[in-house]
Amino acid sequence: MRKFLFALVALTLLFVNNTDAREFTAQQIMENVYNRPEGKDRTSDLEMILVNKFGDQRIRIIRQFNADFGKVEKRIMFFLAPADVKQTCFMNWSYEEAGKDDDQWIYLPALKKVKRISSESKGDYFMGSDFTYDDLGDRHPNEDTHALLRTETIDGKDYYVVESVPKEEDSMYSKTITWVATDGSWIGLKKEFYDEDGELLKILSVDKVEQIQGYWTILNSTMHNVQKDHKTIMNLSKIKYDTGIKGSMFTERMMKRGL
Amino acid sequence: MQISTRKSRNRAVGIVLLLALLLPAAVLAQIEPPAFNGYARTYVGVLFDGERQGDYAIVQNTLDLRWEQKRGKVGLYVNPLLYHYQDRADPLDLVFRQAYLDVFFDDFDLRFGKQQIIWGKADGVFITDIISPKDFQEFLLPDFDEIRIGVTAATLNYYIGNNSLQLVWVPVFQSNGYPRADSLWAFRRFDLPMEPTWDMSTSEVPANIENSQLFGRFSAITSAIDVELMAGYLYDANPTNHVTRVVDPATHQWTGLIVRPEHHRLSILGGSFAKTFAGVVVRGEGAFYHGKRFNIEDPAFADGTIEKSYVHYLIGFDHNIFGIDVSGQFIQEIILDYHEATQNDQYTNTATLLARESFLRETLTVELFVYYGLNEGDALIRFKLTYDLADGFEVLLGSNIFTGPTDSAFGQFHENDMVYTKVKYSF
């Protein structure tokens, strides 16, 4: 009898999860993740701790400003540490228009001029970290084909498990698998990245999430390269939303002037 | 020329005192704690070719201090460098690379003091980048932020959205810096039939308002293209050598030559652009110079010079190929309405190539940079390997190889092939 009751409860839970799964297709889940409210603009300090397989650490600190201007989303990053990259500035404009490449510029204090750089190399690693430029950006759900693999309960919370296969042939990943909370926050718990041979390459785990000014925000996360056994810990602090950042923040003037 | 004389040091100290006076006491009282950063560096180079093989090309220690304060609408920046040369009689060389005061407004900024002003889209080539003179005491080998000499100037930047208009007034002309005659990097002299007498009476431009220089630039960065348009009324930072023949009236034979260097007025109009095409950044830069003088061997020209208009331009690209950052540039200099006896070629063509790749999470960087003179087949080949031992601590191993005919721009230094190391700690 107890076995029967346990099986009934398990079936009921599975049914509930499957009900959730039926409510949203994989495409809808990833669109909800993509469209998760992030405010009109955001200011934050980003600390990246690069840890090698021997446990040695290198630290990069960046102050970043993002703002959504409708058809274009702009980001500017001021590098604060280490000392040899201080005053370097990176600016990115990404467009809503399908197929339009991002525009990117970098200001190098040694050259004292703003240089336009190509945004094609999204597979390049950002500042020696385990995050590629593409990992750091908002990948549009239409760039992948999504499949809902299952729902899964971890530490008492339910997650959609969605597999995403890039549509472009030259992607550096053969697929990614994302665990997305079913509670309506549309925050991912973790994400696995598989290399071109289908082998697990990296695992992104979200360590701390908070609601700040009503927006769900990932505060701490870790990207672990399981093949090379090094990782990058990313900590976000001093987060402010909707402060009314003006367009004049995202200009050549600010790149040269700095903070 | 970099500040190495007492006169120049006094001028640098004067700039700092002037800035201190310009900064109102009330503002000073509100200023936040200053931000310090900079680096310490040891640089040792050894020649490995020619008669001086095994000699040190350079033994230099450098302390670069950058001191910055910002408060509200004002900012102060001072950047002294102290060079120490182990192998020189006067081993210390204090340079104030920059020392300026900023005033920020909503739509415009003002900057007063000694500053590096860098224009254009070219890498390693100076076409519209002509405001800050260049220090060629070690040819083109120092880092580019060390080659450019700060100039005392007043600068206005006016902003309209992503566009800016910059006006620069340089009250006192400053020449490019050149190596001493006994330096490894002393330039090959232009061809003369006998040893000349030097007349330095016009080698400096008198400091007065009439001799000041003016520059203007419009700059825009847009989604479609980045553009700069510029104009300048300036002095040529390279002096022209006027040659006077001394003739014996009895025999009508030459008995001597007098060479008199003089900087001449120039007008310049130019521009540059950068645009991305299918992942490739295409860059261009060009300028038209009016009033430039060249040396000439035609006896009809009594002082050995001729004035001609001159065009200098480049076209280049930046692209990532198989993970390697590659940049290429083709540069051409054209003397218009060319006179056959001019010492310079009518067309001087140069190419540059840069290839760079990082490994080990960007801690190890390998770089190759080549200047190639297409007219003479001469080249400067620079190889660098940089390893970051820790954040802000790097070790660099490199080599500079010069090839080509001995009378060519790079080939003249063919005995100065060197390997070198730099150890740098940034703080």
Side-chain angles (χ1 to χ4, degrees), chain A residues 6-66:
Chain A
F6 181 81
L8 188 64
V9 169
L11 277 170
T12 307
L13 283 174
L14 190 62
F15 176 75
V16 168
N17 282 342
N18 282 338
T19 302
D20 285 340
R22 278 200 302 273
E23 283 177 358
F24 297 100
T25 65
Q27 176 73 19
Q28 287 169 332
I29 292 166
M30 298 315 284
E31 281 177 4
N32 285 331
V33 171
Y34 181 77
N35 293 319
R36 191 179 76 230
E38 291 181 314
K40 284 288 290 178
D41 60 63
R42 185 172 81 175
T43 308
S44 60
D45 279 6
L46 171 65
E47 179 191 51
M48 289 198 305
I49 305 171
L50 282 57
V51 187
N52 68 15
K53 61 184 175 185
F54 306 110
D56 300 330
Q57 295 188 355
R58 292 169 188 256
I59 297 174
R60 281 93 181 85
I61 301 173
I62 295 162
R63 181 158 301 155
Q64 55 184 354
F65 301 82
N66 304 46

Side-chain angles (χ1 to χ4, degrees), chain B residues 60-318:
Chain B
Q60 181 196 64
N61 299 302
T62 307
L63 179 65
D64 180 318
L65 282 176
R66 297 161 197 195
W67 181 71
E68 187 175 19
Q69 284 188 320
K70 277 183 186 168
R71 177 74 177 181
K73 290 187 178 298
V74 297
L76 176 66
Y77 182 85
V78 182
N79 178 201
L81 279 101
L82 184 64
Y83 291 108
H84 171 257
Y85 294 91
Q86 188 64 50
D87 54 346
R88 291 189 186 173
D90 185 10
L92 290 179
D93 189 359
L94 176 65
V95 177
F96 269 77
R97 185 158 57 196
Q98 298 195 93
Y100 57 76
L101 173 69
D102 279 324
V103 188
F104 305 113
F105 297 90
D106 288 343
D107 296 326
F108 66 96
D109 303 332
L110 296 168
R111 176 169 290 177
F112 306 102
K114 191 169 187 184
Q115 51 196 288
Q116 290 176 313
I117 301 168
I118 297 166
W119 289 357
K121 309 290 183 194
D123 286 340
V125 184
F126 312 108
I127 299 175
T128 62
D129 179 13
I130 36 80
I131 302 180
S132 287
K134 315 299 178 293
D135 180 4
F136 294 122
Q137 291 188 83
E138 290 166 45
F139 193 46
L140 290 167
L141 303 184
D143 295 338
F144 282 115
D145 61 339
E146 291 180 73
I147 279 191
R148 293 184 177 93
I149 302 169
V151 284
T152 300
T155 305
L156 163 71
N157 279 295
Y158 182 73
Y159 304 98
I160 316 146
N162 286 321
N163 310 325
S164 65
L165 182 67
Q166 187 174 33
L167 298 173
V168 181
W169 175 53
V170 179
V172 179
F173 168 77
Q174 193 172 352
S175 167
N176 285 339
Y178 291 101
R180 295 190 308 261
D182 60 348
S183 165
L184 274 177
W185 307 106
F187 293 133
R188 181 184 64 85
R189 279 196 192 156
F190 61 106
D191 298 327
L192 290 172
M194 63 181 71
E195 187 63 27
T197 303
W198 289 85
D199 172 4
M200 304 304 284
S201 61
T202 56
S203 63
E204 291 196 15
V205 175
N208 58 50
I209 196 158
E210 191 183 348
N211 288 333
S212 61
Q213 303 178 100
L214 285 170
F215 303 88
R217 180 186 70 152
F218 171 79
S219 169
I221 66 169
T222 70
S223 174
I225 192 168
D226 300 347
V227 177
E228 287 184 15
L229 298 171
M230 60 79 67
Y233 182 59
L234 65 155
Y235 275 96
D236 193 340
N238 295 313
T240 306
N241 289 312
H242 295 258
V243 182
T244 305
R245 298 168 187 85
V246 181
V247 179
D248 185 329
T251 63
H252 299 285
Q253 296 292 311
W254 292 9
T255 57
L257 286 173
I258 300 169
V259 177
R260 180 177 55 81
E262 183 178 353
H263 296 275
H264 289 278
R265 273 290 188 188
L266 291 175
S267 302
I268 178 173
L269 201 60
S272 61
F273 74 91
K275 179 171 176 57
T276 308
F277 292 101
V280 180
V281 176
V282 177
R283 295 180 280 116
E285 183 169 338
F288 171 81
Y289 294 71
H290 177 71
K292 190 153 177 79
R293 284 178 183 252
F294 299 89
N295 280 104
I296 193 162
E297 290 160 355
D298 188 335
F301 290 81
D303 72 346
T305 70
I306 188 169
E307 183 181 314
K308 291 289 177 186
S309 293
Y310 162 80
V311 172
H312 193 182
Y313 75 92
L314 75 76
I315 187 83
F317 74 92
D318 306 317

Side-chain angles (χ1 to χ4, degrees), chain B residues 366-382:
Chain B
V366 179
E367 180 181 307
L368 176 71
F369 187 79
V370 180
Y371 285 101
Y372 183 68
L374 294 161
N375 289 34
E376 304 289 341
D378 57 328
L380 165 58
I381 302 161
R382 308 194 70 189

